[in-house]
């Protein structure tokens, strides 16, 4: 089975020690650092914005993978790029002109991703695939860490994998990923796994990251 990229979500980290937490997961084997930005409008929770991301940038040279759960999103893209985002993923549901938003991310020199809420069909991204290098399949309804994986998303990942075959576009999954669900999503076709509580809730981050890589004996 292919080795998935692991992107710990700092939403589940100790916010009083964020720099140390970012350094610790980077040293523990994280491929990307996943940054969940929430606005209390597109999603029912508020997290952090570009100032916090900018403050963390010096802590590691790992890829900063920004997941923007904000609406509107276009007015804020430049601020996230400037703060140090390497990848910017926006929700298909949060922008009226998705194609324009994805072009704007590319024009800022960042890698563009598009996220789909559980109820959004994969058809929503059919005509923008040339503009992205990642599709994020939400495996919970966005807004909170620690929720349960929605099993119906496995079929969505499978269908998307078939659609993306040979395109080079990555499939990322986010929400309820733990050692029990990781195997099934990777088998279905996920290339990158986001995990918050399964990593930051563990004593040993390196062991928790290894436990998400199917086939690896911890
Ligand atoms: C949910 C966020 C996720 C979340 C994952 O809106 O996008 O990244 O932090 O948390 P866990 O892994 O705890 O489900
Ligand atoms: Zn996320």
């Amino acid at each position: 089975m292919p080795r998935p990229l692991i992107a710990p979500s700092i939403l589940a980290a100790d916010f009083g020690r964020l720099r140390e937490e970012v350094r610790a997961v980077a040293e523990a084997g994280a491929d990307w650092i996943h940054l969940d930005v929430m606005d209390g409008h597109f999603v029912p929770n508020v997290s952090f914005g570009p100032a916090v991301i900018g403050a963390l940038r010096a802590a590691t040279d790992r890829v900063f993978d920004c997941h923007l759960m904000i609406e509107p999103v276009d007015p804020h893209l430049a601020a996230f790029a400037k703060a140090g985002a390497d990848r910017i993923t926006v929700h298909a549901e949060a922008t009226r002109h998705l194609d324009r938003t994805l072009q704007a991310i590319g024009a800022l020199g960042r890698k563009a991703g598009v996220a789909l809420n559980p109820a959004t069909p994969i058809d929503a991204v059919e005509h923008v695939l040339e503009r992205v290098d990642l599709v994020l399949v939400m495996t919970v309804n966005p807004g909170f860490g620690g929720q349960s994986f929605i099993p119906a998303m496995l079929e969505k990942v499978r269908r998307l994998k078939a659609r993306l075959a040979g395109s080079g576009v990555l499939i990322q999954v986010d929400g309820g990923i733990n050692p029990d669900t990781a195997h099934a999503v990777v088998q279905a076709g996920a290339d990158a796994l986001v995990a918050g509580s399964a990593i930051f809730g563990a004593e040993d981050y390196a062991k928790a990251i290894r436990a998400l890589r199917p086939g690896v004996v911890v």
Side-chain angles (χ1 to χ4, degrees), residues 34 36 67 174:
H34 188 79
D36 284 309
H67 175 195
D174 184 2

Side-chain angles (χ1 to χ4, degrees), residues 7-12 34-38 43 67 69 91 136 138-149 173-178 194-199:
S9 164
I10 65 161
L11 194 63
H34 188 79
L35 301 154
D36 284 309
V37 177
M38 304 179 176
V43 289
H67 175 195
M69 289 162 271
H91 271 261
L136 167 51
M138 288 305 301
T139 42
V140 298
N141 289 289
F144 303 95
Q147 303 182 78
S148 299
F149 180 87
V173 290
D174 184 2
I177 302 300
N178 57 41
V194 176
S197 35
I199 294 172

Side-chain angles (χ1 to χ4, degrees), residues 2-184:
R3 179 184 187 273
L5 294 161
I6 305 292
S9 164
I10 65 161
L11 194 63
D14 178 347
F15 274 28
R17 304 171 43 254
L18 275 183
R19 273 191 199 158
E20 293 89 327
E21 292 275 69
V22 166
R23 267 187 218 120
V25 281
E27 277 163 25
D31 296 291
W32 299 348
I33 306 297
H34 188 79
L35 301 154
D36 284 309
V37 177
M38 304 179 176
D39 66 353
H41 169 72
F42 177 66
V43 289
N45 194 11
V46 177
S47 61
F48 51 81
V52 169
I53 293 170
L56 294 174
R57 187 59 280 192
T60 179
D61 56 8
R62 287 289 193 285
V63 166
F64 270 15
D65 173 36
C66 289
H67 175 195
L68 302 186
M69 289 162 271
I70 62 175
E71 183 184 11
V73 63
D74 293 14
H76 304 284
L77 294 174
F80 286 100
K82 193 167 171 227
D86 298 294
R87 322 183 60 93
I88 298 179
T89 297
V90 298
H91 271 261
E93 308 86 1
T95 172
R96 190 172 304 233
H97 303 289
L98 177 60
D99 182 83
R100 178 184 289 149
T101 302
L102 296 170
Q103 284 193 57
I105 297 170
L108 288 164
R110 301 302 187 267
K111 294 202 178 217
V114 60
L116 298 174
N117 280 338
T120 305
I122 60 177
D123 291 358
V125 297
E126 172 74 31
H127 303 289
V128 294
L129 291 174
E130 293 72 24
R131 304 244 189 250
V132 300
D133 82 340
L134 177 147
V135 178
L136 167 51
V137 174
M138 288 305 301
T139 42
V140 298
N141 289 289
F144 303 95
Q147 303 182 78
S148 299
F149 180 87
I150 299 172
M153 295 303 104
L154 284 175
E155 180 58 20
K156 191 172 185 177
V157 172
R158 262 182 233 118
R159 282 193 208 170
L160 188 60
K161 189 70 174 180
R163 172 64 188 81
L164 294 178
S167 69
V169 176
L170 299 172
I171 299 179
Q172 185 177 49
V173 290
D174 184 2
I177 302 300
N178 57 41
D180 295 332
T181 54
H183 184 94

